[in-house]
Amino acid sequence: MSAGKSYRLLLVSTPLGPLGSGVGGGVELTLLNMLDALAQRGHCIQVVAPQQSHLPNTPVITVAGSPQIPAQTQTRQTPIHLPENSVLANMWWQVMTLQSEFDLIINFAYDWLPLYLTPFLDTPVAHLISMGSLSDAMDQIIGQIAEQFPHTIGVHTQAQANTFPFAQHCHPVGNGFNLDRYQFTPTPKDYLCWLGRVAPEKALEDAVTAIDQTGQALKIMGHIQDQAYFDQIQAQFPQANIDYLGFLDTAAMQAVLRYSRGLLVTPRWVEAFGNVVIEALACGVPVIAYHRGGPAEIVQPGQTGWLVEPDSVAGLVEAIHKLPEIDRQTCRQQAEQEYSLTAFAQRLEQWFAKILSQPST
Ligand code: UDP
């Protein structure tokens, strides 16, 4: 329980799809982590999310409507778009009607509309930006709000902040996890894992090439966002020892992940954080990641995994050979020290206090 002030918070989910579907990527777990972290400190929380959203033990105000197109599938110049009967617009209509009951609204959408609406709302909005710079229109509106409403732009890592022209106005909050949901496993079985949305920016093909060259097995888990992309990888590596297990809930996913020798994290883009990195460490699984974006701020080379020159499959292969040098207990310890729910809640409370102490909000 928090010794400080207790806040009434309205969490507004991603408009990409229902919570629990995997369509929203890491944002879904981030929202759940934030909910758990803040609830255990005594804050009063409500969640607004697209229809068919599910959260364990928490009622959700669900809203109907059509989803947004993911920003990472668009170009930098693609104009801002909203479908007919937009779930994003409908959720923010709900926010307008509920706002007076809350001290702070927390936006999880990587979308223009909630940023644009911020000056028109009476209740302040904290925007947790879940990706790096992808679109000129988004950069412009986020930068505008960052100046007009100081401290309201939260990011996960400094590497993510550095992709924006207004990096110095971003407030990094990391992330935090309910570590009880991940079971430490000292002795691995003989396979590696790859987790996440199956989409080109995640470069699954690099992980498959590397395991193929080392003769390892790879278990893949996650939502297939781009089926043609996955089909192409399977066609390109018919002989590779890969096993796609689907999108699993956290309990089922960690039951596989925890026995792996290592997790391969191969993003082509600047990953804002990389939830899967902490999920692996929490199980005692070392992480091999490209030296780029959020994972490069988390992995401690030689201690909790290896950082590899970006886009270098040879680097991945070399690191796979060096996995036995990593102590799995040290991996779990790093997750406990830096990424517990309590550590996350403290960072969030500091962020909220800064926003709410501004005279303009
Ligand atoms: N995930 C999951 N089940 C799976 C595979 C992945 O729940 O079978 C979740 C994982 O817990 C993580 C998310 O998918 O929260 C991927 O998030 P990440 O931050 O790694 O990347 P993003 O999709 O946000 O780019």
Side-chain angles (χ1 to χ4, degrees), residues 20-30 33 72 130-131 156 175 177 182 194-198 201-202 220-223 225 244-254 257 263 265 267 269 271-277 279 295:
S21 67
V23 173
V27 176
E28 295 184 29
L29 184 62
T30 300
N33 295 341
Q72 69 272 22
S130 58
M131 295 184 280
H156 291 289
N175 206 333
F177 296 75
Y182 305 88
W194 187 97
L195 295 174
R197 287 176 299 104
V198 178
E201 67 272 15
K202 299 287 187 172
I220 301 165
M221 291 170 276
H223 171 69
Q225 194 173 38
Y244 172 67
L245 305 178
F247 175 79
L248 307 182
D249 65 23
T250 300
M253 190 267 280
Q254 71 88 41
L257 171 65
L263 177 74
V265 183
W269 71 350
E271 188 80 52
F273 186 77
N275 283 352
V276 297
V277 173
E279 296 183 278

Side-chain angles (χ1 to χ4, degrees), residues 74-86:
Q74 311 290 292
T75 71
R76 287 203 70 86
Q77 282 78 37
T78 305
I80 298 302
H81 56 259
L82 287 173
E84 186 188 355
N85 189 28
S86 152

Side-chain angles (χ1 to χ4, degrees), residues 10-17 19 24 27-28 30-31 34 48-50 67-72 82 86-89 91-92 95 105-118 125-132 134 138 141-142 152-154 156 160 164 351:
L10 183 61
L11 275 53
V12 191
S13 188
T14 166
L16 291 182
L19 285 167
V27 176
E28 295 184 29
T30 300
L31 188 144
M34 192 188 288
V48 174
Q68 288 296 109
I69 298 171
Q72 69 272 22
L82 287 173
S86 152
V87 74
L88 176 66
M91 283 198 294
W92 283 83
V95 171
I105 298 158
I106 300 157
N107 167 38
F108 286 81
Y110 192 99
D111 284 281
W112 183 86
L113 185 68
L115 290 140
Y116 177 77
L117 288 176
T118 301
V125 186
H127 300 274
L128 183 55
I129 305 296
S130 58
M131 295 184 280
L134 293 173
M138 280 297 288
I141 191 85
I142 305 172
T152 59
I153 302 302
H156 291 289
Q160 177 197 1
F164 294 110
W351 180 34

Side-chain angles (χ1 to χ4, degrees), residues 311-333:
D311 311 319
S312 165
V313 170
L316 294 175
V317 168
E318 193 188 333
I320 290 170
H321 290 308
K322 292 196 294 183
L323 276 174
E325 295 175 33
I326 304 296
D327 173 17
R328 293 170 73 95
Q329 187 71 54
T330 310
C331 297
R332 172 76 192 187
Q333 273 164 10

Side-chain angles (χ1 to χ4, degrees), residues 209-335:
T209 314
I211 63 102
D212 197 33
Q213 286 181 14
T214 56
Q216 303 278 311
L218 184 70
K219 293 194 189 297
I220 301 165
M221 291 170 276
H223 171 69
I224 297 184
Q225 194 173 38
D226 187 334
Q227 185 67 50
Y229 166 72
F230 188 45
D231 292 345
Q232 194 189 340
I233 293 174
Q234 285 177 300
Q236 200 182 337
F237 300 95
Q239 74 297 339
N241 191 354
I242 60 174
D243 192 7
Y244 172 67
L245 305 178
F247 175 79
L248 307 182
D249 65 23
T250 300
M253 190 267 280
Q254 71 88 41
V256 178
L257 171 65
R258 70 193 179 92
Y259 284 108
S260 67
R261 294 184 55 232
L263 177 74
L264 299 179
V265 183
T266 51
R268 203 69 83 208
W269 71 350
V270 174
E271 188 80 52
F273 186 77
N275 283 352
V276 297
V277 173
I278 310 301
E279 296 183 278
L281 296 179
C283 297
V285 171
V287 176
I288 295 172
Y290 284 151
H291 196 152
R292 168 189 277 153
E297 280 180 32
I298 303 168
V299 175
Q300 298 169 353
Q303 294 294 312
T304 59
W306 300 102
L307 290 174
V308 167
E309 185 194 333
D311 311 319
S312 165
V313 170
L316 294 175
V317 168
E318 193 188 333
I320 290 170
H321 290 308
K322 292 196 294 183
L323 276 174
E325 295 175 33
I326 304 296
D327 173 17
R328 293 170 73 95
Q329 187 71 54
T330 310
C331 297
R332 172 76 192 187
Q333 273 164 10
Q334 188 192 354

